[in-house]
Amino acid sequence: IAIGYAFSSFVHIYASGVSRGDLLLPFLDVPAGYWCYDEVRYIYQAGLMNGTSATAFSPSATTTRGMIVTILYRMDGSPAAGSSAFADVAPGAYYASAVAWASANGIVTGYEDGSFGPEDPITREQMAAFLFRYARYKGLDVSAQANLSGYTDAGRISPYAVEPLRWANALGLITGTTADTISPTGSATREQAAVILTRFIRNTSQG
């Protein structure tokens, strides 16, 4: 599904098919042939995700809400941002500007108690919601809606995430964890995040 909006220069490069070179990943835990090697390499080369050390990516580690918002912020070119209204987002935190930007643009809303939970592991439905709102903020078509009734745990999807998860599933961004489960409240690992973000760029952009 090509919607025709390129987020930044690295998306133009990806979508137009221009070679990004044959840079090998420095991560010993994501060797050539690893199931998502290409996606990790793309996200790393695009500057959206770094390693957890010089030689490790930690693919099975969970990603946090603060991390994902920071990645979206980088995708948007890291624009100037004010201060966050969330009490649990320290001004000097690496994600502070990203959360302030995301909150100002309706990409995140925080929890009902007024906190953001930047260090909380992000769930699959939360990631769908963040991506959906980011796509809408960028003016993309977010009308695609998959029927999730085939998943036995579809009833566990939070009300706010139903439309975003149906959209993410329709575009192939977030698929089932098994043939009949979508695991909306399951956490997203770093390798899963790399795959989802790569699919997002691929499926919502064209050169």
Side-chain angles (χ1 to χ4, degrees), residues 2-39:
I3 304 177
Y5 191 103
F7 306 119
S8 61
S9 61
F10 72 82
V11 174
H12 281 295
I13 291 171
Y14 182 91
S16 62
V18 176
S19 173
R20 298 190 62 82
D22 297 320
L23 176 67
L24 295 177
L25 283 175
F27 309 128
L28 301 179
D29 51 2
V30 184
Y34 194 73
W35 75 273
C36 60
Y37 179 89
D38 289 341
E39 289 87 350

Short mmCIF file of all heavy atoms in Angstrom, two decimals, residues 2-39:
data_model
loop_
_atom_site.label_atom_id
_atom_site.label_comp_id
_atom_site.label_asym_id
_atom_site.label_seq_id
_atom_site.Cartn_x
_atom_site.Cartn_y
_atom_site.Cartn_z
N ALA A 2 0.89 1.99 -1.07
CA ALA A 2 1.71 3.19 -1.15
C ALA A 2 0.82 4.40 -0.98
O ALA A 2 -0.16 4.57 -1.69
CB ALA A 2 2.43 3.23 -2.48
N ILE A 3 1.11 5.25 -0.03
CA ILE A 3 0.26 6.39 0.25
C ILE A 3 0.89 7.69 -0.25
O ILE A 3 0.24 8.70 -0.37
CB ILE A 3 -0.05 6.45 1.77
CG1 ILE A 3 -0.66 5.12 2.20
CG2 ILE A 3 -0.99 7.57 2.10
CD1 ILE A 3 -0.96 5.02 3.65
N GLY A 4 2.18 7.65 -0.56
CA GLY A 4 2.76 8.78 -1.25
C GLY A 4 3.27 9.90 -0.40
O GLY A 4 3.25 11.05 -0.82
N TYR A 5 3.75 9.62 0.79
CA TYR A 5 4.33 10.68 1.61
C TYR A 5 5.66 10.18 2.14
O TYR A 5 5.72 9.14 2.76
CB TYR A 5 3.42 11.04 2.77
CG TYR A 5 3.85 12.30 3.49
CD1 TYR A 5 3.17 13.49 3.27
CD2 TYR A 5 4.92 12.31 4.36
CE1 TYR A 5 3.55 14.65 3.90
CE2 TYR A 5 5.31 13.47 4.99
CZ TYR A 5 4.62 14.64 4.77
OH TYR A 5 5.01 15.79 5.40
N ALA A 6 6.74 10.92 1.88
CA ALA A 6 8.06 10.53 2.39
C ALA A 6 8.38 11.41 3.58
O ALA A 6 8.28 12.62 3.52
CB ALA A 6 9.11 10.71 1.31
N PHE A 7 8.76 10.78 4.69
CA PHE A 7 8.94 11.51 5.93
C PHE A 7 10.21 12.36 5.94
O PHE A 7 10.23 13.45 6.47
CB PHE A 7 8.99 10.53 7.11
CG PHE A 7 7.81 9.62 7.16
CD1 PHE A 7 7.95 8.25 7.06
CD2 PHE A 7 6.54 10.14 7.27
CE1 PHE A 7 6.86 7.42 7.09
CE2 PHE A 7 5.44 9.31 7.31
CZ PHE A 7 5.59 7.96 7.21
N SER A 8 11.30 11.85 5.42
CA SER A 8 12.55 12.59 5.44
C SER A 8 13.47 11.99 4.40
O SER A 8 13.07 11.10 3.65
CB SER A 8 13.19 12.50 6.83
OG SER A 8 13.47 11.16 7.15
N SER A 9 14.70 12.47 4.33
CA SER A 9 15.60 12.04 3.27
C SER A 9 15.86 10.55 3.28
O SER A 9 15.94 9.92 2.23
CB SER A 9 16.93 12.79 3.38
OG SER A 9 17.57 12.53 4.61
N PHE A 10 15.95 9.93 4.46
CA PHE A 10 16.24 8.51 4.48
C PHE A 10 15.07 7.70 3.94
O PHE A 10 15.25 6.63 3.36
CB PHE A 10 16.65 8.03 5.88
CG PHE A 10 15.54 7.97 6.88
CD1 PHE A 10 14.68 6.89 6.94
CD2 PHE A 10 15.36 9.00 7.79
CE1 PHE A 10 13.67 6.83 7.89
CE2 PHE A 10 14.35 8.94 8.73
CZ PHE A 10 13.50 7.87 8.77
N VAL A 11 13.86 8.21 4.08
CA VAL A 11 12.71 7.53 3.50
C VAL A 11 12.73 7.65 1.99
O VAL A 11 12.42 6.71 1.27
CB VAL A 11 11.39 8.10 4.08
CG1 VAL A 11 10.20 7.47 3.38
CG2 VAL A 11 11.32 7.82 5.57
N HIS A 12 13.12 8.81 1.47
CA HIS A 12 13.25 8.97 0.02
C HIS A 12 14.26 7.97 -0.53
O HIS A 12 14.03 7.34 -1.56
CB HIS A 12 13.70 10.40 -0.32
CG HIS A 12 12.61 11.41 -0.27
ND1 HIS A 12 11.53 11.40 -1.13
CD2 HIS A 12 12.42 12.47 0.55
CE1 HIS A 12 10.73 12.41 -0.85
NE2 HIS A 12 11.24 13.08 0.17
N ILE A 13 15.37 7.80 0.17
CA ILE A 13 16.39 6.85 -0.27
C ILE A 13 15.84 5.44 -0.27
O ILE A 13 15.98 4.68 -1.22
CB ILE A 13 17.63 6.93 0.64
CG1 ILE A 13 18.34 8.28 0.44
CG2 ILE A 13 18.60 5.79 0.36
CD1 ILE A 13 19.44 8.55 1.43
N TYR A 14 15.15 5.07 0.80
CA TYR A 14 14.61 3.72 0.91
C TYR A 14 13.56 3.48 -0.16
O TYR A 14 13.59 2.47 -0.87
CB TYR A 14 14.00 3.54 2.30
CG TYR A 14 13.45 2.15 2.53
CD1 TYR A 14 14.24 1.16 3.06
CD2 TYR A 14 12.14 1.83 2.18
CE1 TYR A 14 13.74 -0.12 3.27
CE2 TYR A 14 11.65 0.56 2.35
CZ TYR A 14 12.45 -0.41 2.91
OH TYR A 14 11.95 -1.67 3.09
N ALA A 15 12.62 4.42 -0.28
CA ALA A 15 11.47 4.20 -1.16
C ALA A 15 11.87 4.22 -2.63
O ALA A 15 11.25 3.56 -3.45
CB ALA A 15 10.41 5.27 -0.90
N SER A 16 12.91 4.97 -2.99
CA SER A 16 13.30 5.06 -4.39
C SER A 16 14.21 3.93 -4.82
O SER A 16 14.56 3.81 -5.99
CB SER A 16 14.01 6.40 -4.65
OG SER A 16 15.19 6.48 -3.87
N GLY A 17 14.61 3.09 -3.88
CA GLY A 17 15.42 1.94 -4.22
C GLY A 17 16.90 2.24 -4.36
O GLY A 17 17.67 1.42 -4.85
N VAL A 18 17.34 3.43 -3.95
CA VAL A 18 18.75 3.77 -4.02
C VAL A 18 19.52 2.93 -3.01
O VAL A 18 19.11 2.77 -1.86
CB VAL A 18 18.95 5.27 -3.72
CG1 VAL A 18 20.44 5.62 -3.70
CG2 VAL A 18 18.22 6.11 -4.75
N SER A 19 20.63 2.37 -3.42
CA SER A 19 21.41 1.50 -2.53
C SER A 19 21.93 2.27 -1.33
O SER A 19 22.41 3.39 -1.44
CB SER A 19 22.60 0.91 -3.29
OG SER A 19 23.44 0.20 -2.40
N ARG A 20 21.83 1.66 -0.18
CA ARG A 20 22.38 2.25 1.03
C ARG A 20 23.75 1.64 1.35
O ARG A 20 24.28 1.81 2.44
CB ARG A 20 21.44 2.01 2.21
CG ARG A 20 20.07 2.66 2.03
CD ARG A 20 19.27 2.59 3.31
NE ARG A 20 19.91 3.31 4.38
CZ ARG A 20 19.83 4.61 4.56
NH1 ARG A 20 19.14 5.35 3.72
NH2 ARG A 20 20.44 5.20 5.57
N GLY A 21 24.32 0.91 0.40
CA GLY A 21 25.64 0.34 0.62
C GLY A 21 25.56 -1.04 1.22
O GLY A 21 24.49 -1.57 1.52
N ASP A 22 26.70 -1.64 1.41
CA ASP A 22 26.77 -2.99 1.95
C ASP A 22 27.34 -3.02 3.35
O ASP A 22 28.04 -3.95 3.74
CB ASP A 22 27.64 -3.87 1.02
CG ASP A 22 27.02 -4.00 -0.37
OD1 ASP A 22 25.79 -4.13 -0.42
OD2 ASP A 22 27.76 -3.95 -1.36
N LEU A 23 27.05 -1.99 4.12
CA LEU A 23 27.54 -1.91 5.47
C LEU A 23 27.07 -3.12 6.28
O LEU A 23 25.88 -3.42 6.33
CB LEU A 23 27.04 -0.63 6.15
CG LEU A 23 27.39 -0.45 7.63
CD1 LEU A 23 28.90 -0.27 7.78
CD2 LEU A 23 26.65 0.73 8.21
N LEU A 24 28.01 -3.81 6.89
CA LEU A 24 27.66 -4.93 7.74
C LEU A 24 27.35 -4.43 9.14
O LEU A 24 28.00 -3.49 9.63
CB LEU A 24 28.81 -5.94 7.78
CG LEU A 24 29.14 -6.64 6.46
CD1 LEU A 24 30.36 -7.55 6.65
CD2 LEU A 24 27.95 -7.45 5.97
N LEU A 25 26.39 -5.05 9.76
CA LEU A 25 26.07 -4.66 11.13
C LEU A 25 27.23 -5.03 12.06
O LEU A 25 27.83 -6.09 11.91
CB LEU A 25 24.80 -5.36 11.60
CG LEU A 25 23.47 -4.83 11.08
CD1 LEU A 25 22.33 -5.72 11.55
CD2 LEU A 25 23.25 -3.40 11.55
N PRO A 26 27.50 -4.19 13.05
CA PRO A 26 28.58 -4.49 14.00
C PRO A 26 28.11 -5.38 15.15
O PRO A 26 28.89 -5.72 16.03
CB PRO A 26 28.97 -3.11 14.52
CG PRO A 26 27.68 -2.35 14.51
CD PRO A 26 26.96 -2.84 13.27
N PHE A 27 26.82 -5.78 15.12
CA PHE A 27 26.24 -6.47 16.25
C PHE A 27 26.44 -7.99 16.15
O PHE A 27 25.95 -8.62 15.20
CB PHE A 27 24.74 -6.14 16.37
CG PHE A 27 24.46 -4.66 16.34
CD1 PHE A 27 23.53 -4.14 15.47
CD2 PHE A 27 25.14 -3.80 17.19
CE1 PHE A 27 23.27 -2.78 15.43
CE2 PHE A 27 24.89 -2.43 17.18
CZ PHE A 27 23.95 -1.93 16.29
N LEU A 28 27.09 -8.54 17.12
CA LEU A 28 27.36 -9.98 17.11
C LEU A 28 26.09 -10.79 17.32
O LEU A 28 26.04 -11.97 16.93
CB LEU A 28 28.40 -10.32 18.19
CG LEU A 28 29.76 -9.62 18.06
CD1 LEU A 28 30.67 -10.03 19.21
CD2 LEU A 28 30.40 -9.94 16.73
N ASP A 29 25.08 -10.18 17.93
CA ASP A 29 23.84 -10.91 18.19
C ASP A 29 22.81 -10.77 17.06
O ASP A 29 21.68 -11.26 17.17
CB ASP A 29 23.22 -10.48 19.54
CG ASP A 29 23.07 -8.98 19.69
OD1 ASP A 29 23.40 -8.25 18.73
OD2 ASP A 29 22.62 -8.53 20.76
N VAL A 30 23.18 -10.10 15.97
CA VAL A 30 22.34 -10.06 14.77
C VAL A 30 23.25 -10.38 13.58
O VAL A 30 23.63 -9.50 12.80
CB VAL A 30 21.68 -8.68 14.58
CG1 VAL A 30 20.73 -8.71 13.38
CG2 VAL A 30 20.89 -8.28 15.83
N PRO A 31 23.63 -11.64 13.44
CA PRO A 31 24.54 -12.03 12.36
C PRO A 31 23.84 -12.08 11.01
O PRO A 31 22.60 -12.10 10.94
CB PRO A 31 24.99 -13.43 12.79
CG PRO A 31 23.82 -13.97 13.54
CD PRO A 31 23.24 -12.78 14.29
N ALA A 32 24.59 -12.08 9.94
CA ALA A 32 24.01 -12.22 8.60
C ALA A 32 23.19 -13.51 8.57
O ALA A 32 23.62 -14.55 9.07
CB ALA A 32 25.12 -12.27 7.56
N GLY A 33 22.00 -13.43 8.02
CA GLY A 33 21.11 -14.59 7.98
C GLY A 33 20.10 -14.59 9.11
O GLY A 33 19.17 -15.40 9.10
N TYR A 34 20.26 -13.70 10.09
CA TYR A 34 19.29 -13.59 11.18
C TYR A 34 17.94 -13.21 10.58
O TYR A 34 17.87 -12.48 9.58
CB TYR A 34 19.75 -12.54 12.18
CG TYR A 34 19.03 -12.54 13.51
CD1 TYR A 34 19.27 -13.55 14.44
CD2 TYR A 34 18.11 -11.54 13.83
CE1 TYR A 34 18.61 -13.55 15.67
CE2 TYR A 34 17.46 -11.54 15.05
CZ TYR A 34 17.70 -12.55 15.96
OH TYR A 34 17.05 -12.56 17.18
N TRP A 35 16.85 -13.66 11.17
CA TRP A 35 15.53 -13.54 10.56
C TRP A 35 15.15 -12.10 10.21
O TRP A 35 14.42 -11.86 9.24
CB TRP A 35 14.46 -14.17 11.44
CG TRP A 35 14.07 -13.37 12.64
CD1 TRP A 35 14.67 -13.39 13.87
CD2 TRP A 35 12.97 -12.45 12.75
NE1 TRP A 35 14.03 -12.52 14.72
CE2 TRP A 35 12.98 -11.94 14.07
CE3 TRP A 35 11.99 -12.01 11.87
CZ2 TRP A 35 12.05 -11.00 14.52
CZ3 TRP A 35 11.06 -11.07 12.32
CH2 TRP A 35 11.10 -10.59 13.63
N CYS A 36 15.65 -11.11 10.97
CA CYS A 36 15.31 -9.72 10.66
C CYS A 36 16.57 -8.88 10.46
O CYS A 36 16.56 -7.69 10.74
CB CYS A 36 14.42 -9.12 11.75
SG CYS A 36 15.19 -9.10 13.39
N TYR A 37 17.60 -9.51 9.93
CA TYR A 37 18.87 -8.81 9.72
C TYR A 37 18.68 -7.57 8.85
O TYR A 37 19.19 -6.49 9.18
CB TYR A 37 19.89 -9.75 9.07
CG TYR A 37 21.23 -9.10 8.78
CD1 TYR A 37 22.24 -9.11 9.73
CD2 TYR A 37 21.47 -8.48 7.56
CE1 TYR A 37 23.46 -8.51 9.48
CE2 TYR A 37 22.69 -7.87 7.30
CZ TYR A 37 23.69 -7.88 8.26
OH TYR A 37 24.90 -7.28 8.00
N ASP A 38 17.98 -7.71 7.74
CA ASP A 38 17.82 -6.59 6.82
C ASP A 38 17.09 -5.43 7.47
O ASP A 38 17.43 -4.26 7.25
CB ASP A 38 17.07 -7.03 5.56
CG ASP A 38 17.92 -7.94 4.67
OD1 ASP A 38 19.15 -7.93 4.83
OD2 ASP A 38 17.33 -8.65 3.83
N GLU A 39 16.06 -5.72 8.26
CA GLU A 39 15.30 -4.67 8.92
C GLU A 39 16.14 -3.96 9.99
O GLU A 39 16.11 -2.73 10.09
CB GLU A 39 14.03 -5.24 9.55
CG GLU A 39 12.97 -5.67 8.54
CD GLU A 39 13.17 -7.09 8.04
OE1 GLU A 39 14.22 -7.71 8.33
OE2 GLU A 39 12.24 -7.59 7.35
#
